[in-house]
Amino acid sequence: MKVVYVDNNATTKVAEEVVAEMLPYFTQSYGNPSSMHTFGGHVAKNIEDSREKVAEFLGAIPSEIVFTSCGTESDNAAIMGTLECYPEKRHIITSRVEHPAVLTLCKNLQKRGYKITLLPVDNKGKLDLNLLRESITEDTAIVSIMYANNETGVVFPIDEIANIVKSRGVVFHTDAVQAIGKLNIDMKKSNIDFLSLSGHKLHAPKGIGVIYIRRGTKFRPFLKGGHQENGRRGGTENVPYVVGLGKAFELAKEYLKEEQSRIKTLRDRLENSLLRAIPNVKINGDIENRLPNTTSLGFEFVEGEAILLMLDRLGICASSGSACTSGSLEPSHVLRAMGVPFTYAHGSIRFSLSHYNTDEDIDYIIKHMPEVITRLREISPFTQYSRMAE
C-alpha cells in the first residue's frame, strides 16, 4: 500500500544521514564522555561539536545549550527550575492552547498552591497582548508561551511577548518544539530566557531534546545528579542521540529555505484544492501567521476519528490534533479555546508536511479526500440532524 505521511508535527522520519552519523556511537565510539581516558574523551569532544551546531543554528552560545531527553523535560525544567530560584513567587502565566507538557504541569502546580493564569485566544488562535501585560504581577515567577501551536500552526509574536515580559523583570520561556527548523530564530536578537525543543520533530530520533538557557538566567537543575551538562542536567549523556541531533541541525539549516517555500507551496495547494472541492470546510487558525508546513481543516458534519480511519485505509497518515492528546472523542482543547463551532471542531484534521513530501503525495490526498468526506457525510448523524432541522 502507498503510504503518504503528513503527520510531521507528531513526529518525523529520522533522516538517513542522521542514522549514519549515530551508528558508530553504539558499537565503536561507545565510551562514557565523563571518563578520564582518551577513548571517552573523544566522545566528549563529539558532544561539544553537536552543542556548537545547535548553538549556531539558534544564534546562541554553546554554553547556553543543555541536552535533555525531550521537549517535555525541557518545558518542565524551565518552569520548575525557575520556581526553585524564586520560591517567594507563586504565579505562572501561560496560554489555554499550550502543549500538555506545560498545561499538565501547571495544573499540578495549581494543586500545590500556585496561581495559574491561562490567557485566552481569539477565534484565530491569537493572544491579546494587552491582557498579558495586565496579568503580570509582582508575584509572577515565569511566563511560558509556545512559539507555534502544534495543532493549528499559529505562530505567536514571541519576540514582542518576550520584550513585554522582560520589561517587567519576569522570566520568559517558550516551547519552540514546532517552530525549530521551520522558522528563522536568532537568540541574539531575542529576550527569551528559556527555549525548549525536541529532536524528533526535526528528523532526529525520539528521546533527545534541548533546553536553551540564556547566559546569566537563574536556573536550578530539574534532574539532579552528576556534573554532566555543566551541572545543569544530571545523567550520563545520550551520546548517539546527541550526535544525531547535531547532524539534524546541520540538515535543518540546509532545508530551512525549502521549508519556507516549497513545502509552504505544497501545503497551500493541498489546502486550496480541498476548500474548492469540498463544501462546508474551514481553516482553523490565523492563516497569515502560521507555520509553513501546517494546516488544520474543519470538515462540518463529520467525525474526525472517522476521517482518520478512512484515510488510514488509503495509506494517508494525518492527525486530529496533538499526538499527546489523541484517543479522546472530544475536540481538542486548542479548538475549544478558539471557539471553533462544535460541528467543525469535531471534524478537524491536521496535515503537517516535511521536506520528504512530494507533489505526488499532495495529488493523492486531493484525489481521495473529497470522496472520503462525501461518504462519511452520507452516514453522519450530524448530517441527518442538519437535514431534519431544515
Side-chain angles (χ1 to χ4, degrees):
M1 177 190 293
K2 179 181 178 66
V3 174
V4 175
Y5 186 82
V6 281
D7 197 17
N8 288 278
N9 285 8
T11 197
T12 58
K13 169 186 175 180
V14 180
E16 294 179 6
E17 299 93 328
V18 170
V19 174
E21 197 86 0
M22 293 170 61
L23 287 177
Y25 296 88
F26 288 106
T27 59
Q28 299 172 33
S29 300
Y30 53 83
N32 189 318
S34 296
S35 301
M36 292 295 293
H37 46 68
T38 303
F39 187 69
H42 170 72
V43 174
K45 173 64 168 57
N46 296 130
I47 289 178
E48 295 312 308
D49 288 344
S50 290
R51 199 185 311 277
E52 290 180 5
K53 292 173 183 176
V54 176
E56 180 184 3
F57 186 92
L58 294 176
I61 302 168
S63 62
E64 296 174 321
I65 304 302
V66 176
F67 294 112
T68 66
S69 65
C70 60
T72 296
E73 181 193 332
S74 298
D75 288 342
N76 277 247
I79 294 172
M80 296 302 295
T82 298
L83 296 181
E84 283 200 34
C85 291
Y86 301 95
E88 74 284 2
K89 296 190 174 187
R90 308 284 291 179
H91 180 219
I92 301 165
I93 299 174
T94 187
S95 81
R96 294 187 182 277
V97 296
E98 297 295 311
H99 189 275
V102 170
L103 286 180
T104 303
L105 173 61
C106 287
K107 288 179 183 177
N108 288 335
L109 288 169
Q110 192 169 35
K111 294 177 182 177
R112 293 165 51 182
Y114 284 88
K115 179 182 178 182
I116 310 297
T117 296
L118 297 176
L119 299 175
V121 295
D122 64 16
N123 60 5
K124 291 186 177 181
K126 299 167 68 174
L127 288 168
D128 182 344
L129 299 191
N130 287 326
L131 183 57
L132 168 62
R133 291 186 182 92
E134 295 169 2
S135 299
I136 299 173
T137 71
E138 293 297 320
D139 195 39
T140 306
I142 187 169
V143 175
S144 179
I145 304 292
M146 66 190 344
Y147 210 117
N149 187 266
N150 47 298
E151 293 190 28
T152 63
V154 171
V155 177
F156 290 134
I158 286 300
D159 287 335
E160 185 178 356
I161 292 172
N163 292 341
I164 292 171
V165 175
K166 295 308 296 177
S167 71
R168 300 289 295 276
V170 175
V171 174
F172 180 64
H173 163 254
T174 185
D175 178 333
V177 166
Q178 294 295 344
I180 298 298
K182 301 166 189 171
L183 302 175
N184 294 307
I185 296 176
D186 188 350
M187 302 307 294
K188 293 191 297 294
K189 300 178 180 179
S190 174
N191 272 320
I192 297 169
D193 294 305
F194 295 102
L195 178 145
S196 304
L197 64 89
S198 182
H200 77 102
K201 312 291 187 176
L202 196 71
H203 303 291
K206 303 167 187 66
I208 184 66
V210 163
I211 178 171
Y212 160 89
I213 307 173
R214 183 173 295 279
R215 185 170 56 180
T217 301
K218 290 185 178 180
F219 175 75
R220 290 184 182 172
F222 179 59
L223 287 185
K224 299 170 177 65
H227 65 279
Q228 294 89 355
E229 297 299 292
N230 290 320
R232 294 174 295 180
R233 200 268 187 182
T236 302
E237 295 91 342
N238 188 353
V239 179
Y241 286 55
V242 169
V243 171
L245 184 64
K247 183 63 178 179
F249 267 93
E250 280 188 340
L251 296 174
K253 183 178 180 181
E254 177 182 344
Y255 291 127
L256 184 57
K257 288 185 178 179
E258 180 190 16
E259 186 85 32
Q260 296 171 340
S261 56
R262 187 186 73 86
I263 297 172
K264 180 180 182 298
T265 299
L266 289 180
R267 188 275 311 274
D268 290 347
R269 185 163 72 85
L270 170 63
E271 191 175 77
N272 293 330
S273 296
L274 295 183
L275 289 172
R276 285 194 301 267
I278 305 171
N280 300 99
V281 182
K282 70 182 295 292
I283 301 171
N284 298 317
D286 183 3
I287 64 174
E288 300 298 327
N289 300 287
R290 57 177 172 161
L291 298 173
N293 78 315
T294 304
T295 182
S296 173
L297 296 173
F299 299 88
E300 195 173 25
F301 305 131
V302 66
E303 294 182 357
E305 286 71 22
I307 299 173
L308 293 180
L309 287 172
M310 290 194 69
L311 291 179
D312 184 56
R313 292 173 186 170
L314 295 165
I316 300 172
C317 308
S319 171
S320 59
S322 169
C324 298
T325 57
S326 63
S328 171
L329 293 178
E330 290 297 314
S332 80
H333 71 284
V334 173
L335 300 184
R336 292 200 305 269
M338 292 166 56
V340 176
F342 180 83
T343 53
Y344 280 101
H346 202 63
S348 287
I349 299 296
R350 179 189 68 188
F351 298 103
S352 48
L353 284 58
S354 82
H355 73 265
Y356 289 108
N357 287 118
T358 64
D359 283 300
E360 289 73 21
D361 290 340
I362 302 306
D363 291 338
Y364 189 75
I365 300 171
I366 292 171
K367 175 183 177 182
H368 291 287
M369 195 70 185
E371 61 190 51
V372 166
I373 300 302
T374 298
R375 287 178 60 192
L376 289 175
R377 281 178 174 167
E378 288 174 351
I379 62 174
S380 170
F382 294 119
T383 306
Q384 305 299 327
Y385 177 80
S386 175
R387 288 170 179 167
M388 289 173 61
E390 292 176 355

